[in-house]
């Protein structure tokens, strides 16, 4: 099984001091090929671990599945052709439930996405916007600003691998009412961390994720807003800025998008009526 961290020698340079050799801990980054019924669907660069959740969340993001009963099983297998190749746990073959329509070749990825961009492999601009089965706009959730501004620190406190490497993004799902942490996942790719959260929710039969807040490290991109909408998440909170297209999609879908959630403040870019003030 691929490792979450890797140890490598480095030379530590401090101005005015002698260089020193040391061992550094790095976040692992390895390719994962996702197949459906043996047919290649995508390759993504990810941090090994929670691969089944990652694949399940990816299929939710793509609009292929939206319920636990539509996901039958997944198994790690060998490399290309699987003709006796050593199983390095970097190929995952997913079986969908009978009657579930497999991904259409016209809208599948061009088989490669990087750890920094989950949309890079889209075959066309028309395939970027995916229609969700869930109505985020109708979710009656409301959030307490004091509870929201505490989420980034709670996210950071739960990043065990980041503590060792400083090289991972994270996504965590919270109950909007109680503030309970439901699940937290780390990955070199922010979109992968979100897919792992979504996959966890699918496999536990929790979609749509009504009444929840998705807290992410870094910025809020279009793809993260789209993933939240596909999972039925009504509130997305980010410690950094959103993009213009992220705000446009959030407004269009009726998702509450929060950015620059730091210290005692935040910016509300859409559906401000859900944020309790006064």
């Amino acid at each position: 099984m691929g490792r979450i961290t890797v140890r490598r020698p480095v030379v530590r340079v401090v101005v005015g001091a002698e260089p020193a050799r040391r061992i550094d801990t790095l976040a692992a980054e390895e390719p994962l090929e996702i197949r459906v019924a043996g047919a290649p669907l995508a390759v993504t660069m990810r941090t090994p671990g929670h691969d089944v959740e990652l694949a399940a969340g990816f299929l939710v993001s793509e609009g292929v599945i939206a319920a636990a009963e539509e996901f039958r099983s997944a198994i790690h297998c060998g490399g290309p052709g699987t003709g006796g190749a050593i199983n390095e746990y970097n190929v995952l073959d997913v079986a969908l439930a009978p009657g579930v329509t497999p991904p259409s070749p016209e809208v599948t990825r061009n088989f490669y996405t990087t750890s920094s961009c989950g949309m890079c492999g889209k075959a066309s601009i028309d395939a970027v916007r995916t229609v969700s089965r869930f109505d985020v706009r109708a979710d009656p959730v409301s959030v307490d600003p004091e509870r929201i501004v505490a989420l980034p620190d709670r996210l950071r406190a739960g990043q065990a691998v980041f503590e060792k490497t400083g090289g991972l993004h994270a996504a965590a799902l919270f109950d909007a009412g109680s503030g309970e942490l439901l699940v937290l996942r780390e990955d070199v790719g922010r979109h992968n961390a979100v897919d792992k959260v979504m996959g966890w929710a699918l496999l536990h039969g929790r979609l749509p994720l009504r009444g929840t807040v998705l807290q992410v490290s870094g910025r809020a991109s279009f793809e993260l807003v789209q993933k939240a909408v596909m999972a039925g998440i009504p509130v997305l909170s980010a410690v950094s800025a959103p993009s213009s297209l992220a705000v446009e999609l959030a407004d269009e879908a009726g998702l509450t998008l929060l950015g620059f959630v730091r210290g005692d403040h935040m910016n509300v870019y859409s559906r401000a009526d859900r944020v309790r003030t006064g």
Side-chain angles (χ1 to χ4, degrees):
M1 174 64 74
R3 292 170 292 179
I4 297 176
T5 61
V6 177
R7 304 274 284 173
R8 290 288 186 270
V10 299
V11 177
R12 175 75 167 176
V13 176
V14 178
V15 176
E18 288 294 321
R21 295 186 178 275
R22 55 178 286 186
I23 298 297
D24 199 16
T25 301
L26 308 177
E29 182 176 29
E30 297 180 10
L32 177 69
E33 179 181 325
I34 301 173
R35 300 177 181 177
V36 176
L41 174 62
V43 175
T44 186
M45 301 302 296
R46 96 304 188 191
T47 299
H50 304 290
D51 286 345
V52 176
E53 292 178 353
L54 173 57
F58 180 84
L59 291 171
V60 171
S61 297
E62 296 298 303
V64 177
I65 57 177
E69 57 269 22
E70 297 175 338
F71 187 96
R72 184 176 181 181
S73 63
I75 185 171
H76 282 99
C77 52
T82 66
I86 296 175
N87 191 345
E88 296 182 346
Y89 298 94
N90 284 334
V91 178
L92 190 72
D93 197 1
V94 175
L96 302 179
V100 177
T101 303
S104 169
E106 286 75 24
V107 296
T108 57
R109 306 280 172 142
N110 291 332
F111 305 136
Y112 177 76
T113 63
T114 70
S115 57
S116 61
C117 178
M119 292 292 181
C120 300
K122 282 288 192 178
S124 70
I125 293 298
D126 291 339
V128 169
R129 288 182 183 267
T130 309
V131 178
S132 176
R133 299 190 203 178
F134 309 125
D135 184 7
V136 170
R137 184 179 301 279
D139 195 314
V141 67
S142 63
V143 294
D144 181 346
E146 291 186 6
R147 183 164 285 161
I148 291 294
V149 296
L151 297 185
D153 286 342
R154 295 180 64 188
L155 178 73
R156 177 68 179 80
Q159 290 187 253
V161 183
F162 180 88
E163 188 67 29
K164 297 178 182 178
T165 67
L168 290 181
H169 289 285
L173 191 69
F174 294 90
D175 182 277
S178 67
E180 177 190 0
L181 171 62
L182 303 176
V183 63
L184 186 151
R185 294 290 182 261
E186 294 180 277
D187 199 277
V188 289
R190 61 171 58 88
H191 59 283
N192 288 338
V194 172
D195 277 344
K196 288 177 179 180
V197 167
M198 292 169 57
W200 171 89
L202 177 112
L203 296 173
H204 285 80
R206 300 188 69 136
L207 294 186
L209 287 167
R210 297 189 180 94
T212 61
V213 179
L214 179 65
Q215 177 66 51
V216 298
S217 61
R219 61 189 177 84
S221 62
F222 169 88
E223 62 180 322
L224 296 194
V225 172
Q226 177 165 289
K227 288 177 184 295
V229 171
M230 294 302 293
I233 298 170
V235 183
L236 173 60
S237 170
V239 299
S240 193
S243 68
S244 61
L245 195 55
V247 175
E248 180 182 321
L249 178 59
D251 189 59
E252 177 184 304
L255 175 141
T256 299
L257 179 58
L258 312 173
F260 293 106
V261 182
R262 304 171 183 175
D264 62 353
H265 62 275
M266 70 187 79
N267 289 347
V268 185
Y269 292 90
S270 59
R271 287 301 302 268
D273 58 293
R274 286 186 173 135
V275 180
R276 298 194 294 271
T277 58

